[in-house]
Amino acid sequence: MFGNLDMFGFQALWSPYLLITTIAIIALYIYITGSGRKHFKDSEAITNKQRTFFIVSLIMFYLVKGSPVDLLSHLMLSAHMTQMAVLYLVLPPLLLMGMPAWLLRKAINLPVVKPVFRFFTKPLIALIVFNAIFSIYHIPVIFDIVKVDMTLHTTYTAVMFVAAFIMWWPLVNPLPEEQRLSGIVKIGYIMGDGILLTPACALIIFADQPLYATYSEMTAWLAALELCVPAGTLAGLDLGGPELFNALPLIEDQKLGGVIMKIIQEIMYGSILAYVFFQWARREREKEELELSQSMNPKVVE
């Protein structure tokens, strides 16, 4: 099955421009957080863990958007859902945990950014905005319109990417002054997020027929493929149809896509839930130890 992908050419398989851009961003990050940090007022050193988070997230971004995975996402719905799960559920928290606090602080305090950022990062709004954008995207008629128009597709996915960052912000942002939720509220936030994301996954998992024309009808499928494969290359190919690249029947591939999305969601939310819980438990324990220490060694008040 995957051997057939060679016919689409190197550019469609490996997106060289995106590779160059990814390398340039990593190099810029290393410079800004390293020797170039002296040029920025109030900058602070970052940890190796932060640097690892950021670089790994950029490599993952290229793998899902610039490698053959991106081409597969236009051929198989299961690959598309895997790509979406990584882009919107895995990468944003990793990027946020890898960003220097001083750089984020400068960015969100810009006069144009600050009021918009304050509004959209309110927990309830952040939850509703991301899940609404995500769910609307998976309505079949919307999905098929967006998937065949380059401008619409780029705009919608970019907006959804920003919305994903906003959704993750209340949970994993590295700024102490932005930690507005207590541990128990964060746990409720994660659970609410999981509930809101479920209907879109359920729609795909339990449908009894193919939902999306861009994965089942030849004309729409070819139109969607043009977003990934250069027009000249695509015109010279004799393609039999979507089933040529998929070992599974369309309906089974569709169900698999919904299941993959749900599994990755559960893994990510479960991991963040455990992280939040243990952070909260540690802070409570430290607070109790401090109170105990103060009670055993009371200060003399004159």
Side-chain angles (χ1 to χ4, degrees):
M1 174 179 62
F2 297 140
N4 295 327
L5 297 181
D6 292 338
M7 70 173 70
F8 293 105
F10 180 79
Q11 184 174 337
L13 287 172
W14 293 106
S15 304
Y17 296 116
L18 185 59
L19 176 60
I20 292 168
T21 303
T22 304
I23 293 171
I25 293 173
I26 291 174
L28 181 62
Y29 172 85
I30 291 172
Y31 171 73
I32 288 176
T33 58
S35 59
R37 188 165 56 85
K38 60 188 177 186
H39 300 298
F40 297 90
K41 186 180 177 182
D42 301 325
S43 63
E44 302 165 354
I46 63 168
T47 64
N48 288 331
K49 183 186 289 186
Q50 284 178 286
R51 191 173 286 110
T52 302
F53 278 144
F54 188 88
I55 293 174
V56 167
S57 62
L58 262 290
I59 292 171
M60 289 176 68
F61 177 79
Y62 173 73
L63 289 177
V64 295
K65 287 296 291 180
S67 77
V69 173
D70 187 50
L71 177 57
L72 278 172
S73 74
H74 288 79
L75 303 172
M76 303 162 58
L77 186 61
S78 56
H80 173 72
M81 297 303 286
T82 303
Q83 182 189 57
M84 290 197 71
V86 173
L87 282 175
Y88 305 122
L89 302 180
V90 179
L91 291 185
L94 289 180
L95 281 170
L96 282 173
M97 290 190 285
M99 287 293 289
W102 62 269
L103 190 57
L104 274 175
R105 195 175 285 114
K106 286 178 184 294
I108 67 176
N109 284 322
L110 290 171
V112 217
V113 175
K114 193 171 183 177
V116 179
F117 178 83
R118 289 289 177 206
F119 177 77
F120 282 103
T121 53
K122 291 178 180 177
L124 186 58
I125 292 174
L127 273 184
I128 292 172
V129 167
F130 172 72
N131 285 286
I133 292 173
F134 183 87
S135 298
I136 289 169
Y137 175 77
H138 287 97
I139 297 172
V141 63
I142 303 293
F143 187 95
D144 287 332
I145 290 172
V146 171
K147 284 285 285 182
V148 298
D149 186 291
M150 177 63 81
T151 304
L152 273 178
H153 186 263
T154 303
T155 304
Y156 201 106
T157 51
V159 168
M160 190 153 41
F161 197 56
V162 172
F165 273 91
I166 289 170
M167 182 271 289
W168 282 106
W169 180 265
L171 293 173
V172 295
N173 81 78
L175 306 183
E177 67 273 20
E178 291 292 330
Q179 301 292 335
R180 289 176 276 174
L181 299 183
S182 65
I184 191 68
V185 176
K186 284 185 177 181
I187 291 171
Y189 183 94
I190 296 169
M191 293 174 68
D193 205 1
I195 292 169
L196 289 174
L197 197 66
T198 298
C201 296
L203 170 71
I204 297 169
I205 294 170
F206 297 111
D208 56 3
Q209 60 184 2
L211 294 173
Y212 306 112
T214 42
Y215 287 97
S216 59
E217 297 176 11
M218 185 68 174
T219 305
W221 178 70
L222 285 173
L225 203 52
E226 288 177 2
L227 272 62
C228 181
V229 181
T233 303
L234 196 58
L237 298 178
D238 181 20
L239 300 173
E243 64 280 354
L244 177 65
F245 302 94
N246 202 333
L248 295 173
L250 291 178
I251 189 65
E252 297 303 322
D253 179 63
Q254 180 173 281
K255 290 178 184 295
L256 177 62
V259 169
I260 289 173
M261 170 63 79
K262 191 62 182 170
I263 288 174
I264 294 177
Q265 176 216 326
E266 294 295 340
I267 291 172
M268 276 307 297
Y269 286 8
S271 301
I272 297 295
L273 186 64
Y275 171 78
V276 167
F277 177 79
F278 286 116
Q279 289 284 92
W280 173 49
R282 189 193 66 185
R283 282 194 296 267
E284 289 299 312
R285 186 171 61 252
E286 289 173 352
K287 183 180 175 183
E288 289 175 2
E289 289 174 355
L290 179 60
E291 290 174 351
L292 179 62
S293 173
Q294 289 176 341
S295 66
M296 292 177 67
N297 301 284
K299 291 182 180 180
V300 178
V301 179
E302 297 183 358

